[in-house]
Amino acid sequence: VRLVESGGGLVKPGGSLRLSCAASGFIFSDYHMSWFRQAPGKGLEWLSYITATSDIIKYADAVKGRFTISRDNAKNSVFLQMNSLRAEDTAVYYCARSLGDYRPVEPWGQGTLVTVSS
Amino acid sequence: DIVMTQSPLSLSVTPGEPASISCRSSQSLLRSDGHHFLEWYLQKPGQSPQLLIYLSSNRVSGVPDRFSGSGSGTDFTLKISRVEAEDVGVYYCMQALQTPLTFGGGTKVEIK
């Protein structure tokens, strides 16, 4: 099982980024997926959840209306479109498989760093 | 949102000695199926979080049996019976009863 995040980088406040998480080693369409993040030197924060068929999507209040989670089961990938980025969105972003009761399943990805700065 | 409070903030432990981390939730994590939706993670330096304990007291396959989780309702504990050098890192509790999933602030464990 492997999850590989990509798409991070330096972006100016107000800008956009699209993160990708490529999955392998398991039947992607059988699993729900989640995104988490960790600001530098800080704790962990849940961001978003999408079911296997994309029929249920959940967001944390901190990103609702700015971030959009989606997935492409044919490409074994989940995405996080991040708009209107703020300095406080600077963090390492992780994806993880999740169960139907929202619990993440091992392993998480290695993370991708997003830096929002002018 | 459910608020998770961990203590202590940090622990300095002599190898071979026990360690205990407390986690308290602002509301009961007991679901109607009888499970407590409390997970324990360890984030080793420079690594992604790794799950140690799920549903309050179930050890993940491959996790050494020196790790144990207990508790109910709103009070939970992670115990390490004999700390080893490889146990250093930050330990987080997380509630998965409802979204938003929320984490405790973390407990940093270091070796004396």
Side-chain angles (χ1 to χ4, degrees):
Chain A
V1 173
R2 195 164 181 231
L3 298 171
V4 179
E5 301 91 339
S6 62
L10 175 63
V11 61
K12 288 182 168 54
S16 298
L17 272 181
R18 188 190 194 215
L19 303 185
S20 299
C21 170
S24 60
F26 64 98
I27 301 174
F28 182 71
S29 57
D30 283 352
Y31 281 86
H32 315 307
M33 298 295 295
S34 297
W35 284 96
F36 297 81
R37 71 182 178 186
Q38 185 171 37
K42 302 296 184 182
L44 297 163
E45 180 182 17
W46 172 84
L47 297 179
S48 187
Y49 168 91
I50 185 169
T51 54
T53 55
S54 304
D55 60 330
I56 296 175
I57 288 174
K58 303 262 187 181
Y59 295 102
D61 285 347
V63 304
K64 197 175 295 182
R66 299 188 300 125
F67 290 12
T68 302
I69 191 171
S70 63
R71 64 189 293 158
D72 185 336
N73 286 345
K75 294 183 178 179
N76 291 343
S77 294
V78 61
F79 309 100
L80 190 66
Q81 177 66 43
M82 306 187 297
N83 299 331
S84 304
L85 284 162
R86 308 165 179 164
E88 54 265 36
D89 295 320
T90 294
V92 174
Y93 285 72
Y94 298 99
C95 64
R97 297 182 297 170
S98 292
L99 302 176
D101 54 17
Y102 308 117
R103 287 185 294 133
V105 179
E106 292 289 278
W108 293 29
Q110 87 290 345
T112 186
L113 175 63
V114 172
T115 303
V116 184
S117 174
S118 55
Chain B
D1 297 1
I2 299 176
V3 177
M4 305 298 291
T5 305
Q6 271 182 252
S7 62
L9 247 55
S10 64
L11 274 177
S12 184
V13 188
T14 300
E17 292 298 303
S20 181
I21 299 170
S22 173
C23 178
R24 180 165 291 177
S25 56
S26 61
Q27 65 187 71
S28 175
L29 300 184
L30 177 64
R31 203 171 73 167
S32 56
D33 59 7
H35 292 296
H36 286 88
F37 275 66
L38 187 284
E39 321 267 281
W40 287 100
Y41 285 86
L42 164 60
Q43 189 173 31
K44 295 183 178 182
Q47 296 186 17
S48 304
Q50 60 183 90
L51 182 65
L52 298 175
I53 303 288
Y54 63 96
L55 297 176
S56 176
S57 60
N58 297 276
R59 199 167 42 247
V60 171
S61 175
V63 171
D65 61 8
R66 63 179 180 274
F67 290 93
S68 64
S70 63
S72 62
T74 61
D75 290 294
F76 301 89
T77 302
L78 176 71
K79 291 183 178 176
I80 312 173
S81 59
R82 296 172 305 280
V83 172
E84 296 188 6
E86 65 181 21
D87 300 335
V88 299
V90 181
Y91 291 77
Y92 295 95
C93 60
M94 183 199 78
Q95 68 80 18
L97 183 67
Q98 62 188 46
T99 59
L101 307 187
T102 46
F103 292 84
T107 296
K108 186 174 184 178
V109 172
E110 54 185 26
I111 300 296
K112 279 184 183 174

